[in-house]
Amino acid sequence: MSYSLITANRNYSSWSLRPWVLMKALGIDFEDRVEPFTKPSNYDEFRAFSPTGQVPVLVHDGRTVWDSLGITLYLAERHEGVWPADEAARAFAICAVSEMHGGFSALRNDCTMNVGVRVRPRPMRDALVRDVARVREIFEQGLEQFGGPWLAGGAFTALDAFFAPVAFRIRTYGLDVGKGQAWVERVLSHPAMLQWEAEALAETWREESHEAELAACGEITEDHRTT
């Protein structure tokens, strides 16, 4: 099968990371195409390859498959391992992936993704406290109920892929996820995540609106990106 996955900047694009790390972890070959964010809205330029004007987009067999969840569901019809084999673990994974896809707005807004920095966050709003507590709950439940070391058992699945961007956020902002930290350290050491991080640190471009969002989240204490 010939796949082409279109994603954006490694530093910023949390939605892009989901299908990218899933395909890497499962050994699904694809052409890796990066279309960087160059201004606050790249809608017009991205519309050339994406019906929503957003990334990620998977191109396969003459089809355009958009949205990280849409791509995941498409891949699940063609490849084993996207979802856990165990029925209870699969139900948990599907629900948690859906929750991540449609929720956690405070976490997204108050802890914007930037792989290459460490940040002393501003005092947490109640909504962010709730989001972090829920992330911790999902991590701890998954690890305890299905035995780890991944969130739905012994194999990396879509559930781990969908929370992979959260792992970067947890490290960037020093968020407390209790016993879930064991999973955070494991996923951050996955070869695919290390590749994504290395490419993020090597990026030389900066996009002003993303950098402004980062500054609003707190004080940068470390910046490991190429300057």
Side-chain angles (χ1 to χ4, degrees):
M1 293 184 180
S2 179
Y3 294 113
S4 178
L5 183 65
I6 307 173
T7 59
N9 309 53
R10 302 304 193 226
N11 264 311
Y12 306 133
S13 190
S14 59
W15 299 80
S16 293
L17 174 56
R18 295 170 174 179
W20 188 94
V21 74
L22 179 64
M23 295 176 78
K24 286 283 186 178
L26 296 184
I28 302 172
D29 291 333
F30 62 94
E31 176 195 3
D32 193 358
R33 174 179 163 188
V34 177
E35 295 285 347
F37 300 128
T38 58
K39 54 188 178 181
S41 174
N42 289 94
Y43 177 82
D44 291 336
E45 293 85 353
F46 284 11
R47 278 278 291 173
F49 55 80
S50 169
T52 63
Q54 297 176 318
V55 289
V57 169
L58 183 71
V59 179
H60 173 242
D61 198 22
R63 304 184 187 100
T64 296
V65 184
W66 65 95
D67 187 275
S68 60
L69 183 55
I71 293 168
T72 297
L73 296 174
Y74 185 82
L75 292 173
E77 293 182 343
R78 290 159 178 80
H79 301 275
E80 294 184 356
V82 172
W83 300 115
D86 176 78
E87 186 175 0
R90 187 164 62 252
F92 176 79
I94 290 171
C95 290
V97 162
S98 299
E99 183 180 356
M100 180 72 254
H101 189 64
F104 297 98
S105 60
L107 179 62
R108 300 180 200 280
N109 294 330
D110 295 3
C111 298
T112 187
M113 180 158 136
N114 193 304
V115 174
V117 301
R118 307 294 180 269
V119 173
R120 183 180 298 112
R122 301 188 186 282
M124 295 172 67
R125 297 186 296 129
D126 289 346
L128 178 57
V129 172
R130 290 193 295 270
D131 276 2
V132 174
R134 179 58 183 148
V135 167
R136 175 175 177 168
E137 187 175 49
I138 290 170
F139 288 1
E140 292 183 343
Q141 179 183 350
L143 293 172
E144 179 178 355
Q145 185 172 348
F146 305 111
W150 300 106
L151 292 178
F156 188 105
T157 68
L159 178 55
D160 302 288
F162 267 67
F163 280 89
V166 177
F168 279 131
R169 286 178 162 99
I170 289 167
R171 185 180 66 181
T172 294
Y173 298 93
L175 305 177
D176 181 6
V177 291
K179 295 179 181 179
Q181 186 64 34
W183 174 82
V184 172
E185 294 171 4
R186 176 172 290 274
V187 76
L188 289 175
S189 67
H190 191 285
M193 291 286 279
L194 292 174
Q195 181 184 345
W196 182 279
E197 180 181 7
E199 293 176 9
L201 298 183
E203 288 176 348
T204 56
W205 59 70
R206 301 288 181 268
E207 197 287 301
E208 290 184 4
S209 67
H210 285 82
E211 294 297 312
E213 290 174 359
L214 176 66
C217 291
E219 177 188 355
I220 297 174
T221 58
E222 300 177 36
D223 192 337
H224 301 278
R225 299 173 296 176
T226 301
T227 57

